[in-house]
Amino acid sequence: MQSTFPFAAIVGQEEMKRALLIAAVAPGVGGVLVFGDRGSGKTTTVRALADLLPPLETVAECAYRCTPTARVGLCGRCQAGEAGARFKPVRIPVPFVDMPLGATEDRVVGALDLEQVLQNGVRRFEPGLLARAHRGFLYIDEINLLEDHLVDLLLDVAASGENVVEREGLSVRHPARFVLVGSGNPEEGELRPQLLDRFGLSVEISTPDDLPSRLEIIKRRDAFERDPAGFNAHWSRAQARLRKQIAHARELLPEVEVPDAVLEQAARLCMQLGTDGLRGELTLLRAARATASLAGELEVTSAHLREIAPSALRHRLRRNPLDDAGSAVRIERGMREIWPA
Amino acid sequence: MPDPWQLAQFAAALLAVDPEGAGGVVVRAAAGPVRQRWLALLRQWLPADCPWRMVPLDIPDSRLLGGLDLAATLAMGRPQAERGLLATADGGVVVLSMAERLSPATAGRIAAAIDTHEVQVEREGLALRAPSRFGVVMLDEGLDEDERAPAALRERVAFEVRLDDIRINEAGEALFAAEETARARWLLSDVTSTDELLTALNEIALRCGIQSLRAPILATRVARASAALHGRVCPDESDLMLAASLVLGHRATRLPVNGEPDTTPAMETEPSPPPNHDASHTDTGETPPASAQQPLAMQDRVLAAIATALGPEVLASLALRGQVRGAAGSAGKSGQQHSGGARGRPMGTRRGLPKRGERLDLVATLYAAAPWQAWRRKEAADTARSFFIAREDLRSRRYRQRSRTVTLFVVDASGSSALHRLAEAKGAVELLLAECYVRRDQVALIAFRGTAAETLLPPTRSLARARRSLAALPGGGGTPLAAAIDAAAELAAQVQRSRATPLVVFFTDGRANLARDGSQGRSAGEADATAAARQYLQRGFGTLFIDTSPRPHPRAEEFAHQLGARYLALPHADAGSLARLVQHSSEGFSPR
């Protein structure tokens, strides 16, 4: 396994970095979609996130990494309280599962364990990628190239948080709640609106075109390629600071308050932009709370709201092909109405 | 500047020095002796034991990525994995033949392996990771600019060599010996990179309008490989020059902009040619002569060298592109949506024997049969047989029938099709685009004005691209209707070949005033348009003719019938009703 490029060493791309940090702090915000030009560092940044995630507390030897203190949403084995396993918590790294293009259905949802059945005639369920991603991250690069029947599977599981398998004489259900992270290039095709809607935050990125930051990116990349270990050592303190920031934000998050005035502003902004349904508003507030906690603050301000509104709402605007303005511009317009300069 | 064959050789040698770092090469050439010779040189310069894997166009995922080895699994009675081609190519080269027809899906899988340096297999009950570091050689036989290797892969490889203009007698002796590239591979890890090098490559990339940061990163690696090839541990100006012309030259989206207003001094300075290899192994450790000088002057020299390398034709087309596309810039030239292989996309499996267009899914059959083995063995009282498959175990894999519709919009942007109508046509096309997007159909866009018809957008599903090219469409000029009909017929035929159904929608007033030979005049233009329509009619494409003229004329309707098109006159329609009408009519064609 080669070492990954440190998150802290990524130049610019503040919106994408913020969205990913929010996902790390508050999984409930609901995943991040990154769309942008080729060669702008989408995959590098997403993969770098894995290194920053604080460890996860789980039941020892549970294939589905159940929470030791939880009472609901447990896998069958933990629910039955087998062997007192529930009382033995362990800490493991947060799962960060890559779902490659060309994955087959049986590996995504899980299937019959072929070895067991062929050798011992035992019918056993072999968990798939969805089980492995439970309580962690599921990353799909080039998500717009994903085959339709896999997209259908994902839509279902991402909405219900549960994977139901009925195949080859197996009947299994297990929890599968994960933060979905997707990236892609819009020129290769677009996402189905249903899938788009499953993402809490959506960011659009482009390659920087100012000379100094481009140069800095190339320099860091070159230094990393020539000496990955040395480069990582150089950035280890910055990485540690980020990890601490995430851990601290997670502690603060439950205590972050949203004043009524800010609630109202969020509602007005969503109304102004005509976002579909309540999901936009909820995501906006959740993301704003995470933004506040990342800043170490206990109260959401309108500044937090403004910071995160484009990412939270961009993909929820009703499509209007005749409005030439991109969604970013429309959100900008809406925000100016709510918060006149 | 070295001649094209020498440059092509440099690309091969540098790829052989660092296949993974350089990423690979697009070899744009028809199959022939020159391409053979180039490939032979590359093989000769690569290590003797280096894997060389040919990937056929329609390679299934099980062979590309790996999967269950059925024969071994059945023989051993336990799952046996089979390594895919990308895993076996580790440390070597992957050759993609007919890369211009490669589907974006296959390209995406290969690109993922390039990015992560490994193949990740999540297939058929297997979860494996295998290291996979390789260079890609894309044999691209595309004829026109729209037919190219997938953008996702072109983006990740350093080189593009064009061999079509090189005759076999010009493809002379090898510039290097195999020992030289071997020594360079060994030296490569000691080669450093300087701030001057990085700064210069970055700036050149930006001045050529190259957005992606992969380009300067690849160029940096190539400059280092070039230094190693010439026995230096520190890249110098000649390495920079070579890397810039090989990696950045073909990526330029605009004429290189010079930093200094006055470019003549740069042109006068003799650009030092990439060094002759005989002279250069001895100067290991030499300090780069140029790095201490003014970096700007050096970059101008390099840009001048690139401009020479590109040749007048490319420069002219770049200049033109700068004018037409304007801000759309970098987005305009990238990726074509290929129609994918004829086999279609797998759609999951179903019980039973394969019907037409399906295939037996052995792995699924195996899974279905597995639970019953113990019981069947007992039942049959036959312990010698290792595996029992019954009829009810059979599973077939279904493939998506490619009954996609591709709607081709042929938009008249001429002066006669008054400009306000153009705005309405644009609006209608945009509404239809949104429709197509919902139905997951593809769209393409042809515009005609002035003297020619131009395919602004090959079939795509990307709303973003379609909108951009539509917004950038200028109006005015003559009405080359005949050219537009020819272009539409050609593109529609292409769509049919990719097993999709074309629906052609003309937006025009039908008043041709330009003949195919470019001569002005209504009668010549109309005669040619009628001739074109006669040929078009024979192809029997589903066609709509939207008369955009403010006062519809019976002649336009007559012309629509000559095309075999359904005619819609829209004297005062707004974009919305136009779109509804077209959509309504297109449903009439869909069952075909």
Side-chain angles (χ1 to χ4, degrees):
Chain A
M1 196 55 213
Q2 56 143 22
S3 60
T4 44
F5 194 84
F7 193 90
I10 284 159
V11 180
Q13 309 296 14
E14 295 306 328
E15 196 191 355
M16 166 167 59
K17 286 198 282 194
R18 191 190 312 119
L20 289 170
L21 289 178
I22 287 174
V25 170
V29 169
V32 180
L33 177 69
V34 183
F35 255 29
D37 299 342
R38 297 194 175 87
S40 48
K42 298 181 291 281
T43 38
T44 311
T45 314
V46 172
R47 293 214 164 91
L49 182 71
D51 247 13
L52 293 181
L53 302 169
L56 195 66
E57 195 155 272
T58 74
V59 173
E61 285 166 40
C62 172
Y64 304 101
R65 288 171 303 280
C66 287
T67 320
T69 51
R71 291 289 171 272
V72 289
L74 297 174
C75 73
R77 179 171 163 268
C78 294
Q79 194 74 58
E82 261 178 52
R86 293 178 60 177
F87 306 107
K88 209 169 121 199
V90 288
R91 298 190 129 212
I92 57 160
V94 171
F96 195 95
V97 177
D98 244 301
M99 177 154 145
L101 294 176
T104 54
E105 220 173 291
D106 59 86
R107 278 303 305 149
V108 175
V109 298
L112 198 64
D113 183 335
L114 204 56
E115 176 146 19
Q116 285 291 325
V117 77
L118 284 181
Q119 297 221 296
N120 312 326
V122 179
R123 229 184 269 189
R124 216 190 65 181
F125 177 67
E126 168 82 21
L129 293 176
L130 294 176
R132 236 167 55 207
H134 178 49
R135 300 189 66 204
F137 285 71
L138 184 70
Y139 175 44
I140 310 170
D141 191 14
E142 307 278 8
I143 189 166
N144 40 359
L145 294 181
L146 197 68
E147 270 147 31
D148 277 352
H149 65 270
L150 292 181
V151 171
D152 296 341
L153 283 175
L154 272 183
L155 285 177
D156 200 27
V157 177
S160 66
E162 191 177 41
N163 181 27
V164 180
V165 185
E166 295 290 346
R167 54 189 294 164
E168 292 135 14
L170 290 166
S171 179
V172 177
R173 48 177 45 203
H174 67 78
R177 283 185 306 276
F178 44 81
V179 178
L180 191 61
V181 180
S183 63
N185 180 320
E187 307 215 333
E188 305 267 0
E190 311 212 359
L191 282 194
R192 266 154 70 186
Q194 297 90 330
L195 185 55
L196 212 52
D197 187 55
R198 295 290 190 272
F199 289 97
L201 303 175
S202 147
V203 290
E204 279 167 18
I205 66 167
S206 56
T207 28
D209 42 17
D210 63 307
L211 212 55
S213 44
R214 286 176 68 101
L215 183 59
E216 191 55 36
I217 294 170
I218 296 170
K219 275 186 178 169
R220 289 186 188 175
R221 188 80 221 175
D222 183 61
F224 172 73
E225 280 174 13
R226 286 190 292 127
D227 177 15
F231 189 79
N232 275 322
H234 179 79
W235 285 95
S236 63
R237 286 182 62 182
Q239 288 279 91
R241 266 201 304 279
L242 274 175
R243 278 192 206 104
K244 229 161 143 183
Q245 190 191 357
I246 293 176
H248 185 59
R250 280 199 178 186
E251 279 170 26
L252 284 188
L253 187 65
E255 295 163 40
V256 175
E257 305 268 351
V258 189
D260 285 351
V262 175
L263 271 177
E264 195 204 310
Q265 285 172 350
R268 267 171 52 209
L269 180 62
C270 290
M271 219 140 70
Q272 179 88 26
L273 293 170
T275 53
D276 292 330
L278 270 176
R279 287 172 70 99
E281 212 174 312
L282 272 174
T283 311
L284 180 60
L285 287 172
R286 284 186 187 144
R289 291 180 63 213
T291 311
S293 74
L294 273 167
E297 287 163 30
L298 283 172
E299 194 175 279
V300 175
T301 64
S302 56
H304 296 140
L305 214 53
R306 274 145 79 172
E307 208 177 313
I308 201 64
S311 310
L313 301 177
R314 170 178 290 128
H315 53 304
R316 301 176 199 279
L317 304 187
R318 237 176 248 127
R319 262 172 198 282
N320 180 0
L322 288 185
D323 190 345
D324 231 16
S327 42
V329 177
R330 286 165 65 192
I331 292 176
E332 193 68 32
R333 265 193 325 233
M335 293 208 294
R336 263 205 307 277
E337 304 234 344
I338 310 278
W339 297 286
Chain B
M1 230 26 225
D3 66 37
W5 174 243
Q6 278 173 329
L7 270 182
Q9 284 205 49
F10 272 116
L14 294 171
L15 180 60
V17 171
D18 187 9
E20 190 207 339
V25 59
V26 177
V27 183
R28 192 133 163 106
V34 179
R35 194 176 84 175
Q36 284 300 345
R37 173 129 178 77
W38 188 90
L39 287 171
L41 282 177
L42 174 61
R43 271 199 100 153
Q44 179 189 328
W45 289 332
L46 284 163
D49 56 349
C50 147
W52 178 275
R53 298 279 177 271
M54 304 287 294
V55 179
L57 192 60
D58 57 347
I59 186 166
D61 282 345
S62 56
R63 281 301 305 135
L64 186 70
L65 305 170
L68 201 63
D69 183 335
L70 271 173
T73 300
L74 289 177
M76 311 271 291
R78 96 171 81 92
Q80 295 293 308
E82 181 185 31
R83 290 174 81 202
L85 213 133
L86 291 182
T88 62
D90 186 34
V93 167
V94 167
V95 183
L96 306 171
S97 44
M98 293 177 46
E100 78 280 6
R101 314 236 334 132
L102 198 68
S103 72
T106 308
R109 287 151 172 76
I110 297 172
I114 294 175
D115 287 354
T116 58
H117 313 290
E118 62 176 11
V119 249
Q120 190 191 352
V121 183
E122 296 288 351
R123 307 178 41 78
E124 296 164 354
L126 300 166
L128 306 166
R129 275 164 192 271
S132 176
R133 294 165 176 268
F134 54 83
V136 183
V137 175
M138 283 178 265
L139 302 178
D140 179 341
E141 296 175 33
L143 292 178
D144 53 39
E145 281 306 309
D146 283 347
E147 220 180 353
R148 309 191 64 185
L153 286 180
R154 275 190 284 130
E155 154 85 15
R156 287 172 169 84
V157 305
F159 308 115
E160 178 171 313
V161 299
R162 294 182 177 238
L163 304 177
D164 273 341
D165 294 332
I166 301 170
R167 282 194 301 258
I168 182 66
N169 54 357
E170 290 168 349
E173 62 186 301
L175 287 179
F176 302 95
E179 300 82 62
E180 288 174 87
T181 52
R183 193 164 348 147
R185 274 191 293 275
W186 177 77
L187 185 61
L188 185 64
S189 58
D190 292 336
V191 179
T192 57
S193 44
T194 59
D195 273 7
E196 285 82 5
L197 176 78
L198 296 176
T199 313
L201 286 171
N202 178 38
E203 200 168 302
I204 294 166
L206 207 53
R207 283 212 233 156
C208 293
I210 301 170
Q211 277 297 317
S212 169
L213 282 160
R214 281 206 186 91
I217 290 170
L218 286 170
T220 310
R221 296 186 197 148
V222 167
R224 292 176 56 218
S226 163
L229 186 61
H230 298 102
R232 288 184 282 269
V233 291
C234 191
D236 70 11
E237 188 179 328
S238 62
D239 300 316
L240 167 68
M241 192 93 75
L242 190 60
S245 39
L246 285 175
V247 183
L248 304 179
H250 63 91
R251 290 178 151 88
T253 62
R254 63 164 183 249
L255 282 172
V257 192
N258 276 313
E260 318 276 25
D262 186 8
T263 57
T264 31
M267 297 299 283
E268 275 165 14
T269 332
E270 174 72 6
S272 68
N276 192 335
H277 69 287
D278 316 313
S280 48
H281 336 291
T282 45
D283 52 6
T284 312
E286 187 192 74
T287 46
S291 57
Q293 297 171 9
Q294 279 185 324
L296 263 185
M298 176 175 73
Q299 280 140 41
D300 284 341
R301 279 204 298 282
V302 175
L303 285 173
I306 292 181
T308 329
L310 287 177
E313 271 172 55
V314 181
L315 285 180
S317 79
L318 285 178
L320 202 66
R321 185 183 301 150
Q323 281 165 14
V324 178
R325 297 265 157 81
S330 67
K333 76 178 253 190
S334 48
Q336 268 62 56
Q337 184 92 19
H338 280 271
S339 44
R343 71 194 168 111
R345 289 180 141 197
M347 250 179 64
T349 50
R350 64 162 192 88
R351 230 171 238 270
L353 275 167
K355 291 187 191 139
R356 237 187 89 188
E358 298 180 338
R359 262 195 263 167
L360 190 65
D361 187 336
L362 284 174
V363 174
T365 305
L366 179 64
Y367 270 101
W372 311 103
Q373 292 311 305
W375 183 77
R376 283 182 193 158
R377 214 169 290 144
K378 212 161 72 191
E379 192 77 349
D382 178 2
T383 46
R385 222 166 116 191
S386 62
F387 206 79
F388 294 83
I389 290 182
R391 195 185 168 85
E392 65 264 25
D393 301 331
L394 294 176
R395 296 287 184 274
S396 303
R397 186 177 302 153
R398 292 181 292 174
Y399 290 91
R400 162 143 316 163
Q401 289 298 312
R402 291 245 161 198
S403 61
R404 299 173 291 127
T405 305
V406 180
T407 311
L408 313 178
F409 294 103
V410 187
V411 180
D412 182 350
S414 68
S416 73
S417 199
L419 288 182
H420 67 281
R421 303 302 299 187
L422 177 61
E424 279 168 24
K426 279 186 184 182
V429 173
E430 289 224 359
L431 276 179
L432 289 170
L433 282 175
E435 261 324 295
C436 293
Y437 167 70
V438 171
R439 286 202 311 259
R440 316 271 295 159
D441 280 353
Q442 294 191 322
V443 295
L445 185 61
I446 297 174
F448 61 107
R449 64 183 281 267
T451 54
E454 189 195 353
T455 304
L456 287 183
L457 188 70
T460 178
R461 219 152 58 182
S462 164
L463 197 59
R465 291 186 62 204
R467 285 180 64 181
R468 247 195 326 260
S469 56
L470 196 64
L473 174 64
T479 312
L481 189 53
I485 294 170
D486 292 345
E490 194 179 313
L491 192 57
Q494 202 178 312
V495 166
Q496 247 173 6
R497 279 199 297 276
S498 70
R499 305 194 177 192
T501 312
L503 170 67
V504 185
V505 184
F506 285 92
F507 286 87
T508 176
D509 56 6
R511 286 181 198 160
N513 60 10
L514 203 79
R516 275 169 172 158
D517 60 10
S519 59
Q520 300 271 346
R522 196 156 292 274
S523 60
E526 286 187 349
D528 263 8
T530 310
R534 206 172 301 129
Q535 283 173 3
Y536 181 91
L537 179 64
Q538 313 229 316
R539 315 293 289 266
F541 301 124
T543 308
L544 285 169
F545 187 101
I546 316 286
D547 189 347
T548 55
S549 136
R551 279 176 299 279
H553 197 278
R555 266 229 307 276
E557 183 164 3
E558 196 181 306
F559 185 72
H561 289 307
Q562 285 171 2
L563 275 173
R566 196 177 287 194
Y567 173 83
L568 297 170
L570 293 159
H572 302 291
D574 60 319
S577 60
L578 196 60
R580 268 196 302 281
L581 266 166
V582 173
Q583 195 193 323
H584 179 70
S585 314
S586 71
E587 278 157 15
F589 290 109
S590 49
R592 276 210 203 182

